[in-house]
Every structure is written in structure tokens, then in C-alpha cells.
Amino acid sequence: MKEVIFDRNNYTSYKDFYAQIYKDLDGKHTIDWEQYDNLCYSADGLNEFLWYKAEENIHYIFKNFDKERIAKQSAYDDYEYNLIVEVFEYFAKQFPNNKVEFMPVEK
């Protein structure tokens, strides 16, 4: 199973995160997504994009993501990160050959 690690400390905003997802999942070589760079900063775009990755057996590791804080959505970035997390978790439920894991936040 391929591992893809997303470290929250590497992003200044959710927009950086969308761009990293696109890069790590090889969006430039994914049919229908070659012309994009960042999944249009959209949870709907991410959801559609992940369908192209459904059979790739990927273990998505979210490092330094405080799910509880993000779920409170006290800032706009938290709102967007929460949407991204929800999309990945829903995707993993629909395609159990893929896995989502959250590592503890480093202090």
C-alpha cells in the first residue's frame, strides 16, 4: 500500500494543502485533471478527483492535524480543512482499500 503523508506544518493555508494534494497524487497525469494545479481549492473538486484514485490502495496519513480544533471551525481555514478531512474520510469509507490515519499533533 502506497503511503501519502500530509503534514499540516507544511501549509500556511488550506490553499497550499489543495496544491500539495494535487501534486502528491500526480494530478498532472490524471485524466481530466491535467490542466489544473490545485483542485480549484474546492472540496467538490477534491471529491471528484479522488474517484480517479479509488483503486490505487493509498494510505493517507494526516500529520499534525488537530481534528477536534478543525471541527470547531473557529476560523475560515479550519472550515476548509474540515471539508477536506470529511472528503477523505468519506472516500475511505466508500473505498476501504484506501485508508485514512491521523497522527498525534506534535507539541
Side-chain angles (χ1 to χ4, degrees), residues 7 11 16 27 32 34 42-43 49 62 64 78-79 87 98 104-105:
D7 187 342
Y11 318 120
D16 295 336
D32 297 330
E34 303 94 339
S42 161
F49 178 74
F62 289 77
N64 294 310
D78 290 340
Y79 167 77
V87 167
N98 295 281
V105 174

Side-chain angles (χ1 to χ4, degrees), residues 2 12 15 17 19 27 32 36-37 39 44 48 59 75 78 87 98 100 105:
K2 176 182 173 183
T12 57
K15 290 182 177 183
F17 189 33
D32 297 330
Y36 296 95
D37 293 320
L39 304 175
D44 289 335
E48 182 180 332
H59 181 187
D78 290 340
V87 167
N98 295 281
V100 172
V105 174

Side-chain angles (χ1 to χ4, degrees), residues 5-99:
I5 300 173
F6 301 118
D7 187 342
R8 173 67 177 90
N9 293 336
N10 293 335
Y11 318 120
T12 57
S13 79
Y14 72 93
K15 290 182 177 183
D16 295 336
F17 189 33
Y18 273 115
Q20 189 67 47
I21 293 167
Y22 181 83
K23 179 182 173 200
D24 287 351
L25 298 180
D26 197 24
K28 285 287 182 201
H29 297 102
T30 302
I31 194 162
D32 297 330
W33 288 93
E34 303 94 339
Q35 71 275 18
Y36 296 95
D37 293 320
N38 54 36
L39 304 175
C40 304
Y41 307 125
S42 161
D44 289 335
L46 172 61
N47 184 46
E48 182 180 332
F49 178 74
L50 287 177
W51 284 88
Y52 290 86
K53 307 299 176 181
E55 301 302 321
E56 292 189 20
N57 304 321
I58 301 174
H59 181 187
Y60 299 101
I61 300 171
F62 289 77
K63 184 177 177 185
N64 294 310
F65 282 82
D66 185 342
K67 256 180 86 169
E68 290 179 19
R69 185 182 63 76
I70 290 170
K72 291 178 185 175
Q73 302 180 25
S74 56
Y76 186 75
D77 260 16
D78 290 340
Y79 167 77
E80 290 288 345
Y81 278 114
N82 191 58
L83 289 174
I84 294 167
V85 166
E86 287 177 350
V87 167
F88 271 99
E89 289 180 326
Y90 180 76
F91 174 74
K93 284 180 186 172
Q94 296 299 310
F95 299 96
N97 58 306
N98 295 281
K99 182 178 175 186

